[in-house]
Amino acid sequence: MEASVGASVVTIVLLFAAHPIWATKIWHPSLHFMDPSNWAHSDIPFPGQTIVFPRKLNALVGLPEGILTTSSIILPQQGALLLPDHTFSLNIVSVEIPAIAVAVFKAPGRTPYYAGNNWASYDEVRAHRQLPNDAVPHSERVPCQYEAAVFEVDKGIPKPVDMQYHESIEVGNVRFGGTIEGVENFQSFILSELGQFMFYNAEDTLIRQGKCTNAEKCPCQEERQMDAICSNTDCVTPHCLSPIRPSGHCCPICGSMFRMNMASFPRAFNLQSFTDKLSRKITSAEVEDVDVEYHVGIDRWAGANVIQLIIVDKGEYGERSIRMMNSLQPFFEKQFSSGFHITHAGQPHTPFEGGQLLGFVLFTMIAVSAFFSVLYAYHYDDTLFPRLRAAIRNRQFFTTPFVFARFDPNSEADGLSVDVNFGSGIQAVDEERADAVAIVDAENATSFNNPMYEKSAHKVDPAAEAFDDVELRIK
């Protein structure tokens, strides 16, 4: 459902050019020594325990600062442990064998570079980090070709990154920790021995700067990068009548979308100023802002230059995003002259899943087959299901659909009248029906050639019959 709004022409003069709110993406998964999720049974090692690292760690793990007390430590054959830059000491203590406990570090899994949930956006001006919500397009969850990709080591060594044999990765800049910065230096690092523990399947991957470094003139991702991003995205079935698919999203979603063509403005558009005003309006709207998630950005895919606002429900879809968008429509009418469109996803709807639909079809086929099988066995088959048919008939599970004429024993006539709908012995015979009964002769009265009323055959003496055709001859 789309709505187009037009009003009188209003010229908006903005002093600042558009600039991306998020200019940096930070790799989120990390291997922190003191994180319980990295240890078997979520048990962080306590002083005196034996620390065991897997033989194929295939990762870099940073040891904590301070004093690490252990009875023994088993090092990995493939992988490395990094000592902290500041104070660190390893204290080996002697513990009796029955009292020795073991803490096992779990081997980390591989996390794809082009998976959007592995990155967090970072606003360097406000020093604010934010994980992407469901409204953020998948294309903007991974570092854009004009953004910086950062791998921090202060709060834990980054979890291994799977490059998935991609031909090239295009970014504005790359920074690993505080020592490696720049595309060329990073390319040399991932080919080193330590770099191969951090970046898998990167032997043939070329790290280079994006073809377009100006966010105002090019899209966030090229088509090839979008294919890689969507291949690492799992889509769920949207529970709404008319799902929408905003630009940059790999999957259809339930929510509401606002789009405004910036070609209507004679000058540049300040995205930051518009976003700040929009945030205040959403906070003061009738719908609680904690019930929805939203994202505002500029869509420049295929040469477009469109402001795009996406609002989705937080949790289960209940049209809260639609109510929020409708409450913002007066704000849009005041800010813009014409040319904006609002699209809604419609009412909640739970479609059949693939397994549910198959189960329904199979159940229907089984029920129909069983019904016609019983019908055939009862009416037509005398050999295939004889016992079943006999059991059904003996227990009177079915009644015959035919009506047979019978003699009414309660008739006041001569007892030979034919009546197909006579009443029970308790009910009196209807007078009109009694008048219409035809009286027939006793010798000719029959009902469906009832043998009780057929004339009996002439009886012949057996002794006489035996000699009817006998001819006596005397010699």
Side-chain angles (χ1 to χ4, degrees):
M1 177 175 60
E2 294 189 357
S4 177
V5 181
S8 59
V9 177
V10 178
T11 303
I12 300 179
V13 179
L14 299 168
L15 301 178
F16 302 98
H19 65 279
I21 299 177
W22 308 103
T24 303
K25 296 291 193 309
I26 298 179
W27 183 257
H28 179 63
S30 62
L31 287 178
H32 198 280
F33 186 87
M34 301 304 294
D35 186 357
S37 62
N38 292 326
W39 295 90
H41 309 295
S42 300
D43 294 333
I44 300 176
F46 56 83
Q49 267 191 313
T50 297
I51 300 176
V52 178
F53 289 94
R55 184 173 64 87
K56 292 184 178 181
L57 179 63
N58 292 329
L60 301 180
V61 179
L63 298 179
E65 295 183 356
I67 301 175
L68 179 61
T69 303
T70 178
S71 59
S72 61
I73 183 170
I74 300 177
L75 301 177
Q77 293 184 4
Q78 298 180 12
L81 303 180
L82 300 181
L83 302 179
D85 296 335
H86 305 289
T87 59
F88 174 78
S89 62
L90 181 62
N91 186 18
I92 304 297
V93 297
S94 177
V95 181
E96 296 182 2
I97 295 179
I100 293 178
V102 178
V104 180
F105 194 88
K106 295 189 298 185
R110 303 181 182 185
T111 48
Y113 175 89
Y114 278 115
N117 56 353
N118 292 330
W119 294 92
S121 299
Y122 184 71
D123 185 359
E124 295 181 308
V125 177
R126 304 179 182 181
H128 176 63
R129 178 187 297 192
Q130 179 178 342
L131 292 173
N133 58 45
D134 293 337
V136 177
H138 294 93
S139 61
E140 299 183 27
R141 302 182 189 186
V142 179
C144 300
Q145 59 177 328
Y146 45 75
E147 290 182 327
V150 176
F151 299 90
E152 288 186 334
V153 296
D154 296 339
K155 299 181 180 180
I157 303 300
K159 210 169 184 178
V161 184
D162 189 0
M163 295 297 190
Q164 298 178 319
Y165 299 102
H166 291 297
E167 178 183 352
S168 64
I169 292 178
E170 299 179 357
V171 291
N173 190 21
V174 185
R175 187 168 68 247
F176 186 90
T179 57
I180 301 173
E181 184 172 2
V183 174
E184 295 182 358
N185 294 333
F186 183 75
Q187 179 75 56
S188 301
F189 171 72
I190 64 175
L191 297 177
S192 64
E193 184 177 359
L194 288 179
Q196 292 180 6
F197 290 131
M198 285 290 307
F199 299 92
Y200 297 151
N201 305 321
E203 297 84 359
D204 300 325
T205 301
L206 178 62
I207 310 298
R208 61 187 181 187
Q209 285 189 336
K211 299 177 182 178
C212 179
T213 58
N214 190 346
E216 301 178 22
K217 298 181 180 180
C218 54
C220 177
Q221 306 289 349
E222 298 292 341
E223 184 176 359
R224 180 171 53 83
Q225 280 77 17
M226 278 301 303
D227 293 340
I229 293 172
C230 291
S231 65
N232 287 286
T233 302
D234 296 328
C235 296
V236 297
T237 303
H239 289 186
C240 51
L241 285 176
S242 304
I244 61 175
R245 186 173 179 178
S247 178
H249 270 267
C250 297
C251 312
I253 60 175
C254 296
S256 189
M257 176 176 59
F258 164 88
R259 288 177 65 86
M260 173 67 194
N261 191 352
M262 293 180 60
S264 304
F265 301 113
R267 297 189 180 182
F269 178 75
N270 190 333
L271 181 61
Q272 183 66 60
S273 176
F274 173 75
T275 303
D276 293 340
K277 293 180 181 179
L278 183 64
S279 299
R280 291 192 293 268
K281 292 296 181 181
I282 291 178
T283 303
S284 60
E286 297 179 358
V287 181
E288 294 291 339
D289 58 339
V290 296
D291 294 334
V292 297
E293 296 175 331
Y294 70 95
H295 173 78
V296 59
I298 298 180
D299 174 26
R300 292 189 172 89
W301 182 260
N305 194 18
V306 178
I307 304 171
Q308 180 173 257
L309 168 65
I310 306 169
I311 305 178
V312 298
D313 290 29
K314 184 179 293 185
E316 186 177 357
Y317 177 66
E319 297 186 87
R320 297 183 297 274
S321 55
I322 296 179
R323 295 196 297 271
M324 174 66 78
M325 185 67 76
N326 290 335
S327 67
L328 295 175
Q329 186 162 333
F331 168 72
F332 298 142
E333 293 175 350
K334 183 178 180 181
Q335 293 291 320
F336 307 108
S337 57
S338 62
F340 69 85
H341 298 272
I342 296 177
T343 307
H344 300 313
Q347 298 178 352
H349 171 67
T350 303
F352 274 121
E353 302 287 347
Q356 293 176 340
L357 181 60
L358 179 61
F360 175 77
V361 172
L362 290 177
F363 176 78
T364 304
M365 293 177 62
I366 292 174
V368 172
S369 300
F371 173 77
F372 282 103
S373 297
V374 173
L375 189 66
Y376 173 80
Y378 177 73
H379 288 288
Y380 299 101
D381 189 11
D382 291 330
T383 58
L384 186 59
F385 302 110
R387 294 184 179 180
L388 176 62
R389 184 180 179 188
I392 293 175
R393 286 186 172 179
N394 292 338
R395 289 165 176 76
Q396 298 182 353
F397 292 150
F398 295 94
T399 57
T400 177
F402 304 105
V403 178
F404 296 95
R406 297 179 293 178
F407 290 99
D408 187 358
N410 301 313
S411 175
E412 296 179 357
D414 57 356
L416 302 177
S417 59
V418 179
D419 185 8
V420 297
N421 290 310
F422 63 89
S424 63
I426 301 176
Q427 297 177 347
V429 179
D430 188 88
E431 294 181 358
E432 295 181 359
R433 179 176 296 276
D435 296 338
V437 173
I439 307 301
V440 297
D441 186 73
E443 295 181 355
N444 298 326
T446 61
S447 176
F448 298 106
N449 296 326
N450 195 326
M452 294 177 59
Y453 295 93
E454 292 181 358
K455 293 182 178 181
S456 59
H458 178 69
K459 293 184 179 181
V460 180
D461 186 3
E465 183 181 6
F467 297 97
D468 283 347
D469 297 331
V470 177
E471 181 180 356
L472 298 177
R473 293 183 181 183
I474 301 175
K475 294 183 179 180

